[in-house]
Tab-separated table of all heavy atoms in Angstrom:
chain	number	residue	atom	x	y	z
A	1	ASP	N	112.457	78.316	83.507
A	1	ASP	CA	112.888	79.683	83.193
A	1	ASP	C	112.148	80.755	83.975
A	1	ASP	O	112.594	81.724	84.447
A	1	ASP	CB	112.921	79.945	81.759
A	1	ASP	CG	111.535	79.601	81.018
A	1	ASP	OD1	110.697	79.041	81.618
A	1	ASP	OD2	111.451	79.923	79.844
A	2	LEU	N	110.776	80.494	84.230
A	2	LEU	CA	109.982	81.333	85.061
A	2	LEU	C	110.341	81.322	86.470
A	2	LEU	O	110.383	82.273	87.222
A	2	LEU	CB	108.507	81.065	84.879
A	2	LEU	CG	107.842	81.435	83.545
A	2	LEU	CD1	106.477	81.027	83.445
A	2	LEU	CD2	108.035	82.914	83.395
A	3	GLN	N	110.715	80.083	86.980
A	3	GLN	CA	111.162	79.934	88.326
A	3	GLN	C	112.383	80.773	88.575
A	3	GLN	O	112.515	81.430	89.607
A	3	GLN	CB	111.560	78.521	88.722
A	3	GLN	CG	110.264	77.545	88.883
A	3	GLN	CD	110.724	76.131	89.303
A	3	GLN	OE1	111.827	75.931	89.700
A	3	GLN	NE2	109.703	75.311	89.263
A	4	ILE	N	113.405	80.656	87.611
A	4	ILE	CA	114.575	81.571	87.744
A	4	ILE	C	114.206	82.974	87.788
A	4	ILE	O	114.681	83.736	88.738
A	4	ILE	CB	115.540	81.212	86.692
A	4	ILE	CG1	116.078	79.908	86.674
A	4	ILE	CG2	116.631	82.279	86.508
A	4	ILE	CD1	116.964	79.489	85.548
A	5	TYR	N	113.334	83.474	86.918
A	5	TYR	CA	112.966	84.779	86.857
A	5	TYR	C	112.287	85.294	88.181
A	5	TYR	O	112.706	86.381	88.743
A	5	TYR	CB	112.041	85.137	85.665
A	5	TYR	CG	111.611	86.620	85.670
A	5	TYR	CD1	112.372	87.585	85.233
A	5	TYR	CD2	110.254	86.852	86.123
A	5	TYR	CE1	111.967	88.954	85.329
A	5	TYR	CE2	109.831	88.134	86.270
A	5	TYR	CZ	110.638	89.143	85.830
A	5	TYR	OH	110.232	90.505	85.840
A	6	VAL	N	111.326	84.525	88.655
A	6	VAL	CA	110.584	84.876	89.771
A	6	VAL	C	111.503	84.927	91.059
A	6	VAL	O	111.474	85.858	91.901
A	6	VAL	CB	109.429	84.049	90.011
A	6	VAL	CG1	108.778	84.243	91.401
A	6	VAL	CG2	108.296	84.247	88.908
A	7	ALA	N	112.285	83.900	91.160
A	7	ALA	CA	113.208	83.793	92.371
A	7	ALA	C	114.226	84.973	92.359
A	7	ALA	O	114.421	85.546	93.370
A	7	ALA	CB	113.933	82.515	92.290
A	8	ALA	N	114.756	85.306	91.197
A	8	ALA	CA	115.714	86.365	91.128
A	8	ALA	C	115.052	87.734	91.368
A	8	ALA	O	115.542	88.598	92.117
A	8	ALA	CB	116.354	86.439	89.688
A	9	HIS	N	113.843	87.890	90.838
A	9	HIS	CA	113.074	89.114	91.014
A	9	HIS	C	112.758	89.262	92.581
A	9	HIS	O	112.833	90.393	93.157
A	9	HIS	CB	111.737	89.052	90.275
A	9	HIS	CG	110.990	90.383	90.387
A	9	HIS	ND1	110.003	90.579	91.332
A	9	HIS	CD2	111.095	91.503	89.613
A	9	HIS	CE1	109.402	91.733	91.245
A	9	HIS	NE2	110.091	92.448	90.128
A	10	GLU	N	112.300	88.253	93.188
A	10	GLU	CA	112.035	88.264	94.669
A	10	GLU	C	113.188	88.554	95.501
A	10	GLU	O	113.162	89.279	96.490
A	10	GLU	CB	111.290	86.949	95.096
A	10	GLU	CG	109.889	86.908	94.642
A	10	GLU	CD	108.939	87.881	95.346
A	10	GLU	OE1	108.916	87.938	96.550
A	10	GLU	OE2	108.277	88.546	94.504
A	11	THR	N	114.317	88.000	95.127
A	11	THR	CA	115.653	88.209	95.862
A	11	THR	C	115.957	89.675	95.724
A	11	THR	O	116.300	90.370	96.781
A	11	THR	CB	116.766	87.354	95.307
A	11	THR	OG1	116.341	86.000	95.450
A	11	THR	CG2	118.044	87.588	95.962
A	12	GLN	N	115.854	90.231	94.514
A	12	GLN	CA	116.235	91.686	94.298
A	12	GLN	C	115.280	92.527	95.134
A	12	GLN	O	115.617	93.478	95.741
A	12	GLN	CB	116.131	91.958	92.785
A	12	GLN	CG	116.609	93.329	92.446
A	12	GLN	CD	118.227	93.300	92.586
A	12	GLN	OE1	118.809	92.419	92.763
A	12	GLN	NE2	118.638	94.544	92.614
A	13	ARG	N	113.898	92.159	95.144
A	13	ARG	CA	112.984	92.894	95.891
A	13	ARG	C	113.195	92.916	97.395
A	13	ARG	O	113.163	93.969	98.051
A	13	ARG	CB	111.572	92.340	95.618
A	13	ARG	CG	110.387	93.224	96.218
A	13	ARG	CD	109.130	92.418	96.076
A	13	ARG	NE	109.123	91.226	96.893
A	13	ARG	CZ	108.904	91.263	98.202
A	13	ARG	NH1	108.784	92.376	98.967
A	13	ARG	NH2	108.893	90.048	98.918
A	14	GLU	N	113.591	91.736	97.865
A	14	GLU	CA	113.951	91.599	99.219
A	14	GLU	C	115.202	92.447	99.698
A	14	GLU	O	115.222	93.094	100.732
A	14	GLU	CB	114.124	90.190	99.657
A	14	GLU	CG	112.880	89.334	99.732
A	14	GLU	CD	113.120	87.900	100.132
A	14	GLU	OE1	114.283	87.603	100.435
A	14	GLU	OE2	112.111	87.082	100.047
A	15	LYS	N	116.169	92.533	98.757
A	15	LYS	CA	117.419	93.289	98.951
A	15	LYS	C	116.984	94.835	99.048
A	15	LYS	O	117.473	95.493	99.940
A	15	LYS	CB	118.411	93.068	97.927
A	15	LYS	CG	119.130	91.761	98.031
A	15	LYS	CD	120.228	91.585	96.976
A	15	LYS	CE	120.904	90.212	97.143
A	15	LYS	NZ	121.813	90.047	95.977
A	16	ALA	N	116.161	95.204	98.124
A	16	ALA	CA	115.730	96.588	98.019
A	16	ALA	C	114.930	96.969	99.266
A	16	ALA	O	115.094	98.026	99.880
A	16	ALA	CB	114.906	96.889	96.783
A	17	LEU	N	114.104	96.054	99.791
A	17	LEU	CA	113.297	96.286	100.966
A	17	LEU	C	114.199	96.361	102.173
A	17	LEU	O	114.014	97.279	102.957
A	17	LEU	CB	112.280	95.115	101.057
A	17	LEU	CG	111.293	95.276	102.303
A	17	LEU	CD1	110.506	96.481	102.205
A	17	LEU	CD2	110.398	94.041	102.308
A	18	ARG	N	115.144	95.450	102.238
A	18	ARG	CA	116.051	95.550	103.420
A	18	ARG	C	116.847	96.889	103.397
A	18	ARG	O	117.158	97.461	104.408
A	18	ARG	CB	117.026	94.342	103.395
A	18	ARG	CG	116.443	93.055	104.147
A	18	ARG	CD	117.609	92.092	104.357
A	18	ARG	NE	118.220	91.631	103.121
A	18	ARG	CZ	117.810	90.660	102.398
A	18	ARG	NH1	116.753	89.960	102.725
A	18	ARG	NH2	118.521	90.281	101.364
A	19	ARG	N	117.273	97.301	102.193
A	19	ARG	CA	118.057	98.547	102.166
A	19	ARG	C	117.241	99.643	102.514
A	19	ARG	O	117.592	100.597	103.247
A	19	ARG	CB	118.472	98.672	100.650
A	19	ARG	CG	119.497	99.832	100.485
A	19	ARG	CD	120.018	99.950	98.987
A	19	ARG	NE	120.307	98.706	98.407
A	19	ARG	CZ	119.551	98.202	97.300
A	19	ARG	NH1	118.610	98.960	96.821
A	19	ARG	NH2	119.820	97.080	96.686
A	20	ALA	N	115.923	99.729	102.124
A	20	ALA	CA	115.037	100.775	102.481
A	20	ALA	C	114.792	100.782	103.969
A	20	ALA	O	114.748	101.896	104.714
A	20	ALA	CB	113.654	100.686	101.793
A	21	GLN	N	114.669	99.556	104.589
A	21	GLN	CA	114.447	99.438	106.052
A	21	GLN	C	115.656	99.977	106.802
A	21	GLN	O	115.585	100.712	107.748
A	21	GLN	CB	114.140	98.005	106.441
A	21	GLN	CG	112.735	97.567	106.039
A	21	GLN	CD	112.514	96.104	106.220
A	21	GLN	OE1	113.506	95.326	106.306
A	21	GLN	NE2	111.274	95.714	106.364
A	22	ASN	N	116.880	99.632	106.301
A	22	ASN	CA	118.082	100.098	106.983
A	22	ASN	C	118.264	101.639	106.793
A	22	ASN	O	118.597	102.250	107.795
A	22	ASN	CB	119.328	99.451	106.319
A	22	ASN	CG	119.461	97.935	106.734
A	22	ASN	OD1	118.899	97.535	107.718
A	22	ASN	ND2	120.123	97.168	105.947
A	23	GLU	N	117.895	102.196	105.662
A	23	GLU	CA	117.942	103.600	105.433
A	23	GLU	C	116.946	104.363	106.411
A	23	GLU	O	117.286	105.358	106.961
A	23	GLU	CB	117.714	103.956	104.059
A	23	GLU	CG	118.841	103.577	103.136
A	23	GLU	CD	118.525	103.759	101.608
A	23	GLU	OE1	117.393	104.126	101.353
A	23	GLU	OE2	119.497	103.478	100.819
A	24	ALA	N	115.820	103.710	106.587
A	24	ALA	CA	114.726	104.304	107.455
A	24	ALA	C	115.235	104.261	108.834
A	24	ALA	O	115.079	105.305	109.623
A	24	ALA	CB	113.443	103.548	107.285
A	25	ALA	N	115.896	103.100	109.189
A	25	ALA	CA	116.421	103.050	110.602
A	25	ALA	C	117.421	104.107	110.917
A	25	ALA	O	117.479	104.788	111.998
A	25	ALA	CB	116.845	101.695	110.920
A	26	ILE	N	118.372	104.346	109.936
A	26	ILE	CA	119.365	105.321	110.141
A	26	ILE	C	118.772	106.674	110.196
A	26	ILE	O	119.171	107.487	111.095
A	26	ILE	CB	120.396	105.254	109.030
A	26	ILE	CG1	121.190	103.972	109.070
A	26	ILE	CG2	121.312	106.440	108.915
A	26	ILE	CD1	122.036	103.578	107.874
A	27	ALA	N	117.777	106.951	109.386
A	27	ALA	CA	117.049	108.251	109.503
A	27	ALA	C	116.380	108.432	110.728
A	27	ALA	O	116.415	109.660	111.346
A	27	ALA	CB	116.106	108.389	108.310
A	28	ARG	N	115.812	107.435	111.344
A	28	ARG	CA	115.038	107.537	112.685
A	28	ARG	C	116.159	107.855	113.692
A	28	ARG	O	115.986	108.524	114.653
A	28	ARG	CB	114.440	106.279	112.914
A	28	ARG	CG	113.054	106.143	112.371
A	28	ARG	CD	112.149	105.035	112.968
A	28	ARG	NE	112.741	103.749	112.816
A	28	ARG	CZ	112.625	102.957	111.660
A	28	ARG	NH1	111.871	103.341	110.691
A	28	ARG	NH2	113.249	101.735	111.582
A	29	GLN	N	117.340	107.129	113.637
A	29	GLN	CA	118.367	107.395	114.634
A	29	GLN	C	118.893	108.872	114.526
A	29	GLN	O	119.101	109.518	115.516
A	29	GLN	CB	119.513	106.455	114.421
A	29	GLN	CG	119.316	104.977	114.741
A	29	GLN	CD	120.430	104.044	114.399
A	29	GLN	OE1	121.274	104.479	113.566
A	29	GLN	NE2	120.263	102.818	114.823
A	30	LYS	N	119.099	109.361	113.311
A	30	LYS	CA	119.512	110.802	113.151
A	30	LYS	C	118.480	111.730	113.695
A	30	LYS	O	118.838	112.729	114.355
A	30	LYS	CB	119.838	111.054	111.643
A	30	LYS	CG	121.023	110.355	111.202
A	30	LYS	CD	121.321	110.766	109.671
A	30	LYS	CE	122.558	110.064	109.152
A	30	LYS	NZ	122.723	110.411	107.748
A	31	LEU	N	117.143	111.460	113.432
A	31	LEU	CA	116.100	112.276	113.886
A	31	LEU	C	116.063	112.265	115.463
A	31	LEU	O	115.994	113.313	116.072
A	31	LEU	CB	114.738	111.843	113.371
A	31	LEU	CG	113.543	112.585	113.849
A	31	LEU	CD1	113.646	113.994	113.500
A	31	LEU	CD2	112.287	111.944	113.339
A	32	ALA	N	116.287	111.080	115.976
A	32	ALA	CA	116.273	110.906	117.464
A	32	ALA	C	117.473	111.753	118.070
A	32	ALA	O	117.341	112.472	119.076
A	32	ALA	CB	116.349	109.419	117.907
A	33	ALA	N	118.692	111.662	117.379
A	33	ALA	CA	119.827	112.468	117.822
A	33	ALA	C	119.606	113.984	117.759
A	33	ALA	O	119.950	114.673	118.698
A	33	ALA	CB	121.107	111.998	117.078
A	34	CYS	N	118.943	114.438	116.726
A	34	CYS	CA	118.670	115.761	116.515
A	34	CYS	C	117.691	116.229	117.524
A	34	CYS	O	117.864	117.365	118.123
A	34	CYS	CB	118.082	116.126	115.050
A	34	CYS	SG	119.262	116.015	113.861
A	35	ARG	N	116.749	115.380	117.858
A	35	ARG	CA	115.725	115.774	118.909
A	35	ARG	C	116.395	115.897	120.304
A	35	ARG	O	116.140	116.755	121.087
A	35	ARG	CB	114.492	114.825	118.926
A	35	ARG	CG	113.661	114.973	117.778
A	35	ARG	CD	112.423	114.034	117.901
A	35	ARG	NE	111.525	114.318	116.802
A	35	ARG	CZ	110.584	113.422	116.459
A	35	ARG	NH1	110.502	112.282	116.997
A	35	ARG	NH2	109.823	113.729	115.449
A	36	GLN	N	117.414	115.023	120.514
A	36	GLN	CA	118.167	114.970	121.796
A	36	GLN	C	118.953	116.356	121.841
A	36	GLN	O	118.921	116.961	122.881
A	36	GLN	CB	119.095	113.812	121.889
A	36	GLN	CG	118.445	112.545	122.179
A	36	GLN	CD	118.111	112.335	123.677
A	36	GLN	OE1	118.476	113.149	124.488
A	36	GLN	NE2	117.330	111.328	123.920
A	37	LEU	N	119.612	116.709	120.797
A	37	LEU	CA	120.208	117.992	120.810
A	37	LEU	C	119.404	119.154	121.046
A	37	LEU	O	119.714	120.126	121.727
A	37	LEU	CB	121.016	118.177	119.427
A	37	LEU	CG	122.279	117.251	119.269
A	37	LEU	CD1	122.853	117.362	117.781
A	37	LEU	CD2	123.355	117.499	120.295
A	38	GLU	N	118.235	119.120	120.455
A	38	GLU	CA	117.256	120.229	120.644
A	38	GLU	C	116.870	120.333	122.147
A	38	GLU	O	116.695	121.391	122.632
A	38	GLU	CB	116.035	120.097	119.643
A	38	GLU	CG	116.316	120.388	118.250
A	38	GLU	CD	115.018	120.067	117.383
A	38	GLU	OE1	113.988	119.734	117.871
A	38	GLU	OE2	115.141	120.374	116.180
A	39	LEU	N	116.552	119.159	122.692
A	39	LEU	CA	116.089	119.139	124.048
A	39	LEU	C	117.171	119.607	124.955
A	39	LEU	O	116.945	120.373	125.855
A	39	LEU	CB	115.788	117.717	124.488
A	39	LEU	CG	114.431	117.136	124.013
A	39	LEU	CD1	114.300	115.695	124.393
A	39	LEU	CD2	113.273	117.909	124.612
A	40	ARG	N	118.408	119.283	124.664
A	40	ARG	CA	119.526	119.781	125.493
A	40	ARG	C	119.719	121.272	125.304
A	40	ARG	O	120.021	122.001	126.311
A	40	ARG	CB	120.831	119.117	125.073
A	40	ARG	CG	120.990	117.631	125.602
A	40	ARG	CD	122.335	117.057	125.315
A	40	ARG	NE	122.317	115.681	125.508
A	40	ARG	CZ	122.843	114.825	124.710
A	40	ARG	NH1	123.592	115.198	123.734
A	40	ARG	NH2	122.768	113.489	124.943
A	41	ALA	N	119.565	121.707	124.116
A	41	ALA	CA	119.760	123.113	123.853
A	41	ALA	C	118.556	123.855	124.507
A	41	ALA	O	118.890	124.904	125.081
A	41	ALA	CB	119.704	123.436	122.383
A	42	ASP	N	117.415	123.382	124.495
A	42	ASP	CA	116.266	124.003	125.202
A	42	ASP	C	116.516	124.012	126.703
A	42	ASP	O	116.287	125.055	127.334
A	42	ASP	CB	114.915	123.331	124.864
A	42	ASP	CG	114.394	123.547	123.525
A	42	ASP	OD1	114.968	124.480	122.837
A	42	ASP	OD2	113.529	122.868	123.125
A	43	GLU	N	116.991	122.990	127.269
A	43	GLU	CA	117.226	122.824	128.696
A	43	GLU	C	118.346	123.827	129.117
A	43	GLU	O	118.277	124.568	130.084
A	43	GLU	CB	117.561	121.463	129.062
A	43	GLU	CG	116.561	120.524	129.091
A	43	GLU	CD	116.864	118.973	129.342
A	43	GLU	OE1	118.112	118.846	129.499
A	43	GLU	OE2	116.051	118.123	129.259
A	44	GLU	N	119.479	123.962	128.224
A	44	GLU	CA	120.430	124.893	128.493
A	44	GLU	C	119.951	126.338	128.422
A	44	GLU	O	120.339	127.210	129.233
A	44	GLU	CB	121.657	124.798	127.506
A	44	GLU	CG	122.374	123.513	127.810
A	44	GLU	CD	123.483	123.199	126.770
A	44	GLU	OE1	123.724	124.143	125.875
A	44	GLU	OE2	124.056	122.116	126.719
A	45	ASN	N	119.149	126.673	127.388
A	45	ASN	CA	118.467	128.025	127.334
A	45	ASN	C	117.630	128.389	128.600
A	45	ASN	O	117.828	129.385	129.058
A	45	ASN	CB	117.691	128.100	126.045
A	45	ASN	CG	118.519	128.215	124.866
A	45	ASN	OD1	119.738	128.463	124.844
A	45	ASN	ND2	117.931	127.945	123.663
A	46	LYS	N	116.907	127.360	129.094
A	46	LYS	CA	116.002	127.620	130.225
A	46	LYS	C	116.968	127.787	131.438
A	46	LYS	O	116.552	128.675	132.338
A	46	LYS	CB	115.112	126.408	130.468
A	46	LYS	CG	113.945	126.423	129.456
A	46	LYS	CD	112.986	125.250	129.717
A	46	LYS	CE	111.900	125.217	128.643
A	46	LYS	NZ	111.063	124.086	128.804
């Protein structure tokens, strides 16, 4: 019964960690896209 609990808990933890990593990757991509837009806007203004 403890093996079941620990294995299920670890599986849930790994899913949450993967979800957080995916969300962080998406946020980094959005940030990079925003920075690209800012750079283009700055270049156009110059």
Side-chain angles (χ1 to χ4, degrees):
D1 51 352
L2 286 177
Q3 286 183 12
I4 290 175
Y5 174 79
V6 170
H9 184 270
E10 285 292 309
T11 300
Q12 192 67 16
R13 186 191 65 78
E14 286 179 9
K15 285 180 182 177
L17 182 60
R18 274 194 302 272
R19 191 176 322 113
Q21 288 172 334
N22 289 338
E23 289 170 0
I26 290 168
R28 280 192 300 272
Q29 289 172 349
K30 287 180 180 179
L31 179 61
C34 286
R35 287 183 177 160
Q36 286 282 352
L37 287 174
E38 285 178 1
L39 285 174
R40 284 186 197 140
D42 287 346
E43 288 173 1
E44 288 175 7
N45 287 341
K46 286 181 185 177

